[in-house]
């Protein structure tokens, strides 16, 4: 029982991921026929990836690196997650925008993002380090895609308020998170003393709670007719 309480106190975000997924499934009927129809799959993948990361870090049976000094390293699964996650989010915004020019820009951005990850492999090992430069480029591209969505949203004739729009709330959470997350990771690798001294890990956890809090509120208050 003591180990369970320790796990919850240190990994409290993990249960939160699961709660958001459960609520998203309970409200699935309100967005199942929208570009977010695979949203619960994305949320469950996030939860399982984080859970696997925990197992790799603390249990020898789940190691992915054979070298003794790196046995706790789990960054490879998070590098893979980053690529899949960004591509999924790009796809959503590609579906959401209506202007052909904007769709083309999102396609170009996705290509640049993939190239940045491919190029990073020549300078960083995906087994031992987060591809944080590629993450930064991919994050800025995602922010650009969200701005395209908001630009079109201004002329949207939908009379329903945005507070009931899951897509709108999801976008706000993503903007907050990805405006700061890549900078935190860059500092964590390039200036680790600043990461430790200024408690950037805590800041990152707060950002994750804000992001998934926006996801949770979004699915709770979402109204089908407000989606757009």
């Amino acid at each position: 029982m003591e180990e369970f309480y320790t796990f919850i106190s240190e990994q409290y975000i993990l249960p939160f991921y699961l709660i958001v997924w459960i609520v998203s499934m309970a409200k699935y009927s309100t967005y199942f026929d929208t570009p977010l129809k695979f949203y619960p799959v994305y949320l469950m993948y996030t939860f399982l990836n984080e859970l696997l990361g925990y197992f790799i870090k603390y249990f020898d049976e789940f190691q992915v690196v054979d070298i003794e000094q790196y046995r706790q390293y789990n960054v490879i699964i998070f590098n893979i997650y980053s690529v899949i996650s960004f591509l999924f989010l790009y796809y959503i915004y590609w579906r959401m925008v209506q202007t052909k020019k904007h769709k083309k820009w999102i396609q170009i951005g996705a290509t640049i993002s993939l190239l940045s990850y491919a190029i990073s492999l020549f300078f960083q090992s995906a087994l031992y380090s987060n591809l944080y430069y590629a993450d930064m480029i991919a994050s800025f591209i995602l922010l650009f895609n969200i701005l395209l969505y908001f630009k079109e949203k201004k002329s949207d004739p939908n009379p329903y308020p945005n507070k009931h729009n899951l897509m709108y709330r999801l976008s706000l959470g993503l903007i907050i998170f990805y405006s700061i997350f890549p900078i935190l990771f860059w500092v964590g690798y390039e200036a680790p003393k600043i990461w430790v001294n200024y408690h950037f890990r805590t800041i990152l956890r707060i950002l994750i709670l804000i992001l998934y809090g926006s996801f949770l509120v979004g699915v709770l208050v979402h109204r089908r007719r407000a989606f757009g």
Side-chain angles (χ1 to χ4, degrees):
M1 185 62 71
E2 184 178 348
E3 292 182 356
F4 174 75
Y5 287 129
T6 301
F7 170 78
I8 293 298
S9 63
E10 295 180 355
Q11 305 294 328
Y12 57 87
I13 293 179
L14 264 176
F16 191 47
Y17 288 139
L18 188 59
I19 291 170
V20 176
W21 175 79
I22 291 172
V23 176
S24 73
M25 288 302 298
K27 297 279 289 185
Y28 188 61
S29 61
T30 66
Y31 62 89
F32 75 97
D33 58 346
T34 72
L36 289 177
K37 64 181 179 180
F38 296 115
Y39 184 50
V41 178
Y42 164 72
L43 293 175
M44 177 50 68
Y45 173 45
T46 301
F47 169 73
L48 293 176
N49 194 73
E50 293 288 338
L51 188 61
L52 178 59
Y54 172 82
F55 285 144
I56 292 173
K57 187 173 183 179
Y58 294 103
F59 296 93
D60 290 340
E61 297 85 351
F62 292 87
Q63 303 306 316
V64 293
V65 180
D66 291 333
I67 303 175
E68 182 63 32
Q69 69 185 97
Y70 297 112
R71 286 178 67 82
Q72 291 185 325
Y73 276 44
N74 55 15
V75 293
I76 180 61
I77 67 169
F78 291 103
N79 283 326
I80 295 172
Y81 172 82
S82 290
V83 175
I84 295 175
S85 178
F86 279 119
L87 288 179
F88 173 70
L89 294 172
Y90 295 161
Y91 168 75
I92 289 175
Y93 286 100
W94 178 80
R95 287 285 308 279
M96 289 302 304
V97 299
Q98 302 300 316
T99 306
K100 289 185 177 180
K101 179 175 65 174
H102 292 169
K103 285 182 178 291
K104 185 66 175 179
W105 286 352
I106 291 176
Q107 290 175 332
I108 294 172
T111 302
I112 293 173
S113 179
L114 286 175
L115 285 174
S116 69
Y117 280 105
I119 293 172
S120 291
L121 294 176
F122 290 98
F123 302 96
Q124 297 173 281
S125 171
L127 282 174
Y128 310 120
S129 171
N130 287 100
L131 306 178
Y132 51 94
Y133 284 110
D135 283 341
M136 185 175 294
I137 293 171
S139 297
F140 293 152
I141 290 172
L142 176 60
L143 292 175
F144 177 73
N145 294 345
I146 297 173
L147 292 178
L148 292 179
Y149 163 72
F150 280 146
K151 181 179 179 180
E152 293 192 5
K153 188 69 180 169
K154 281 186 177 181
S155 58
D156 188 355
N158 193 333
Y160 291 90
N162 286 324
K163 66 180 181 180
H164 294 308
N165 182 357
L166 172 58
M167 189 67 211
Y168 190 83
R169 286 187 176 273
L170 182 148
S171 298
L172 290 178
L174 290 173
I175 279 184
I176 294 172
F177 183 81
Y178 284 103
S179 294
I180 305 173
F181 152 77
I183 299 173
L184 291 182
F185 254 40
W186 182 86
V187 171
Y189 278 93
E190 297 295 336
K193 288 186 178 180
I194 294 178
W195 171 275
V196 173
N197 293 339
Y198 290 91
H199 308 287
F200 276 18
R201 181 179 180 82
T202 300
I203 296 174
L204 178 60
R205 289 189 170 190
I206 293 172
L207 285 173
I208 292 173
L209 290 174
I210 291 173
L211 175 62
Y212 280 85
S214 72
F215 290 177
L216 180 60
V217 173
V219 293
L220 283 173
V221 304
H222 177 64
R223 302 292 182 270
R224 176 65 187 88
R225 293 181 179 180
F227 187 89

